[in-house]
């Protein structure tokens, strides 16, 4: 808990993508204190062996919990969520929420039963995605695109570098050709690219991500634990934005634009805290 008794929530990602989830958590719990933790020294997680991702997530999160005791942990990274959740749950009693691509809500929304699934190459390869599609979208044509560029373009955008629109158009061309009316944003970086994605695929009707569902789950878990989930009189904030590598240039301004003005930003954490 924070010093005001408001809940404190740790939001974790390999980079700035988890900010798209932090925005949803902040909307639902405006009084909560958020600690944002990014393992950007190892970004992108999709290029790392699973054992490295597990080890790094567990070590960094354990350090963060020591410095900032939290009431909930959100693994706002699809790539990490598929492999680290059992390890984290064995390590801490703090409730852990992971993220999965929103295939189920997409299947409920599509009108033409053609869904695009946009994710990192690592997420697209994972067998749990086959299971999600089999379970929830068996009656749909699901076109998967696992492109390595999009996460980096989102990271660059936070530094003020415009999205290379032509390259993005090419990256999602298969979704245009397949005539999908719904696209699942299966990586937490992608909602940050939404304006550019809409330009690339203007005919898409529904863009579906997991941010709201995660935020609702966090509210539910906090309520179960008897923590205050109604907004208190003081506004919550991002009490710390911690980066294991260099703090991305301009990240405080970018976060402020998202409504997540951080109180402090620390790079090379935890060695420099
Ligand atoms: N935001 C992460 C995700 O949702 C980025 C992936 C990565 O680091 O490879 O999967």
């Amino acid at each position: 808990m924070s010093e005001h008794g408001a809940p404190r929530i740790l939001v974790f990602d390999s980079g700035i993508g988890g900010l798209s989830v932090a925005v949803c958590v902040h909307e639902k719990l405006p009084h909560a204190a958020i600690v944002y933790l990014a393992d950007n020294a190892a970004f992108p997680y999709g290029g790392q062996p699973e054992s490295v991702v597990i080890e790094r997530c567990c070590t960094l999160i354990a350090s963060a919990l020591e410095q900032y005791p939290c009431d909930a942990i959100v693994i706002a990274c699809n790539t990490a969520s598929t492999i680290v959740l059992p390890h984290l749950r064995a390590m801490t009693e703090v409730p852990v929420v992971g993220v999965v691509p929103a295939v189920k809500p997409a299947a409920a929304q599509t009108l033409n039963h053609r869904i695009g699934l946009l994710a990192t190459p690592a997420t697209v390869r994972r067998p749990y995605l086959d299971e999600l599609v089999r379970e929830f979208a068996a009656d749909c044509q699901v076109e998967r695109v696992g492109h390595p560029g999009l996460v980096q373009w989102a990271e660059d955008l936070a530094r003020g570098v415009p999205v290379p629109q032509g390259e993005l158009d090419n990256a999602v061309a298969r979704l245009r050709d397949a005539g999908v009316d719904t696209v699942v944003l299966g990586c937490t970086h992608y909602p940050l690219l939404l304006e550019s994605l809409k330009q690339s695929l203007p005919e898409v009707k529904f863009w579906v991500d997991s941010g709201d569902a995660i935020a609702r789950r966090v509210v539910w878990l906090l309520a179960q634990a008897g923590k205050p989930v109604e907004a208190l009189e003081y506004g919550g904030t991002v009490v710390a934005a911690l980066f294991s590598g260099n703090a991305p240039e301009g990240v405080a301004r970018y976060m402020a634009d998202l409504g997540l003005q951080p109180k402090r930003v620390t790079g090379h954490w935890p060695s420099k805290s």
Side-chain angles (χ1 to χ4, degrees):
M1 286 243 230
S2 68
E3 70 265 32
H4 302 295
R8 191 191 277 147
I9 298 154
L10 179 65
V11 180
F12 177 88
D13 184 28
S14 56
I16 53 117
L19 292 174
S20 70
V21 177
V23 166
C24 298
V25 170
H26 182 61
E27 264 168 29
K28 292 258 182 309
L29 294 162
H31 60 299
I34 294 176
V35 176
Y36 190 77
L37 173 59
D39 187 11
N40 64 335
F43 174 87
Y45 268 3
Q48 301 284 356
E50 293 189 4
S51 57
V52 171
V53 173
I54 293 166
E55 163 70 21
R56 293 191 65 94
C57 277
C58 289
T59 307
L60 280 169
I61 288 172
S63 301
L65 291 176
E66 259 174 46
Q67 193 172 344
Y68 300 96
C70 286
D71 301 294
I73 301 166
V74 178
I75 304 302
C77 174
N78 290 265
T79 311
S81 290
T82 54
I83 47 179
V84 303
L85 300 185
H87 301 271
L88 284 171
R89 288 181 178 134
M91 183 190 91
T92 175
E93 285 181 0
V94 179
V96 183
V97 183
V99 52
V100 289
V103 173
K104 188 179 175 183
Q109 266 182 299
T110 178
L111 301 174
N112 69 2
H113 293 260
R114 278 182 248 161
I115 298 174
L117 198 109
L118 206 49
T120 64
T123 298
V124 157
R125 275 197 306 270
R126 297 255 156 86
Y128 86 114
L129 202 55
D130 299 325
E131 283 161 36
L132 279 178
V133 170
R134 217 176 300 126
E135 189 172 352
F136 299 115
D139 60 340
C140 298
Q141 176 194 335
V142 180
E143 197 66 41
R144 300 181 196 194
V145 170
H147 194 279
L150 273 70
V151 278
Q152 189 57 54
W153 297 335
E155 292 284 327
D156 293 345
L157 185 63
R159 293 186 181 88
V161 179
V163 176
Q165 192 65 47
E167 285 181 60
L168 183 61
D169 290 351
N170 290 337
V172 297
R174 238 169 356 98
L175 302 186
R176 197 170 31 251
D177 296 346
V180 303
D181 73 351
T182 302
V183 174
V184 178
L185 300 174
C187 167
T188 55
H189 278 72
Y190 298 173
L192 304 173
L193 297 174
L194 188 57
E195 287 319 307
S196 304
L197 284 165
K198 282 182 174 170
Q199 277 184 50
S200 293
L201 297 169
E203 56 291 327
V204 168
K205 291 193 176 66
F206 307 109
W207 296 91
V208 195
D209 67 63
S210 313
D212 271 336
I214 293 169
R216 281 197 303 275
R217 178 82 185 148
V218 172
V219 172
W220 185 85
L221 284 167
L222 293 176
Q224 291 293 303
K227 310 287 177 200
V229 289
E230 301 303 330
L232 304 172
E233 64 194 62
Y234 37 81
T237 182
V238 176
V239 285
L242 312 171
F243 294 86
S244 63
N246 288 329
E249 194 193 315
V251 75
R253 177 202 39 78
Y254 185 70
M255 289 177 70
D257 289 348
L258 294 173
L260 296 172
Q261 175 81 61
K263 272 198 177 158
R264 71 187 185 93
V265 175
T266 308
H268 299 282
W269 189 87
S271 62
K272 285 202 185 154
S273 58

